DNA sequence: ATGCACCTTGTAGTGGCTACAAGGTCAAGC
DNA sequence: GCTTGACCTTGTAGCCACTACAAGGTGCAT
């Protein structure tokens, strides 16, 4: 499988895959006679893993850790749980922040009387 | 007022203020005899405006627009309202995404039996 | 005179991609 | 066999909003 096909199968782009390779998240695959990257099911699975973790908001560093943990199936999954739980707490914090922010924005927009900028509530709030 | 004092009054850093100047968000202030930036209440108000807008999640480009709109108080505030409403919708979208993400993460972490990595639900979910 | 906090400019790095440019490869159609 | 066009290659630079230096200048207290 060439890079474009792998990209289509994983909802990525060839550029992103090459970027993952550059940064060491993916290993260098074998090449065809014409110097094209040649991917098999192992790489497909690894990239799917990476994309799922990234879609769940894990950072590249966390993905790296999760990958190396998943490579040693006999180990305790404590470390995995701790990465995921930490991330969950982080997401909760962000949710809280975003909800507060939404409330403020909502008030601001609701109070706008659609008049002149001079008495615009939005501008007033921002100007303090 | 020197840059450090302005930074403390606005919850920023001198670096960020200089960055805003470089990118044209703030104008170049007058200088003291020793070539130090010398800020007055106008610049303080402008920076406060910028920080409030940034804290509400507006991008630098949006802040730029809001600033130039607020400079012309006789204009209709339609444009201001549209920037803010668009941003509100964007925040709503992000909130939705984050809530979905949180649910998935929560399930993943809750299902983890704290055993070996080999049968870790978190890794299984990621591996698909 | 010395120390120290603060300031100056300039450059480079962060994360996670994304967007080129300039050229090589390969299968299909004529 | 020759062209077209889709795909691939490497390399470099850009995005956002900062952040982190390095190397040197200023200003005030001791």
């Amino acid at each position: 499988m060439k890079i474009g096909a792998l990209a289509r199968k994983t909802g990525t782009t060839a550029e992103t895959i090459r970027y993952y390779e550059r940064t060491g998240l993916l290993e260098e695959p074998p090449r065809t006679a014409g110097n094209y990257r040649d991917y098999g099911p192992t790489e497909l699975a690894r990239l799917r893993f990476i994309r799922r973790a990234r879609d769940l908001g894990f950072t590249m560093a966390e993905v790296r850790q999760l990958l190396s943990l998943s490579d040693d199936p006999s180990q305790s999954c404590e470390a995995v749980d701790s990465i995921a739980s930490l991330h969950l707490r982080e997401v909760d914090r962000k949710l809280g922040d975003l909800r507060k922010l939404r409330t403020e924005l909502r008030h601001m927009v609701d109070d706008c009387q659609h008049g002149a900028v001079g008495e615009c509530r939005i501008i007033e709030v921002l100007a303090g």
Side-chain angles (χ1 to χ4, degrees), chain A:
Chain A
M1 184 176 15
K2 283 187 275 184
I3 198 167
L6 182 62
R8 277 186 294 279
K9 279 199 188 183
T10 52
T12 15
T13 66
E15 281 92 347
T16 300
I17 295 172
R18 280 191 288 258
Y19 167 73
Y20 286 165
E21 186 184 312
R22 256 201 326 281
T23 55
L25 217 54
L26 288 174
E27 289 184 16
E28 296 185 27
R31 301 288 183 129
T32 66
N35 198 31
Y36 289 0
R37 283 170 183 82
D38 188 20
Y39 295 100
T42 314
E43 285 98 338
L44 174 60
R46 193 173 169 94
L47 183 52
R48 283 220 166 110
F49 186 105
I50 295 170
R51 287 313 306 174
R52 280 201 188 93
R54 292 287 305 120
D55 286 349
L56 286 167
F58 288 99
T59 64
M60 303 258 292
E62 287 167 337
V63 174
R64 238 177 280 272
Q65 291 180 64
L66 290 171
L67 276 169
S68 84
L69 285 164
S70 86
D71 282 347
D72 187 354
S74 67
Q75 237 182 290
S76 149
C77 83
E78 221 177 293
V80 175
D81 186 47
S82 123
I83 294 170
S85 299
L86 206 69
H87 182 50
L88 177 58
R89 251 171 293 152
E90 191 56 22
V91 168
D92 274 341
R93 208 189 45 72
K94 271 190 200 152
L95 259 176
D97 287 356
L98 213 51
R99 270 195 273 259
K100 251 188 266 168
L101 201 149
R102 197 210 112 93
T103 306
E104 282 191 71
L105 271 175
R106 180 87 259 179
H107 287 328
M108 227 169 72
V109 170
D110 283 353
D111 287 356
C112 175
Q113 302 293 313
H114 313 289
V117 166
E119 61 245 16
C120 178
R121 285 290 300 137
I122 297 170
I123 295 290
E124 275 174 40
V125 168
L126 290 171

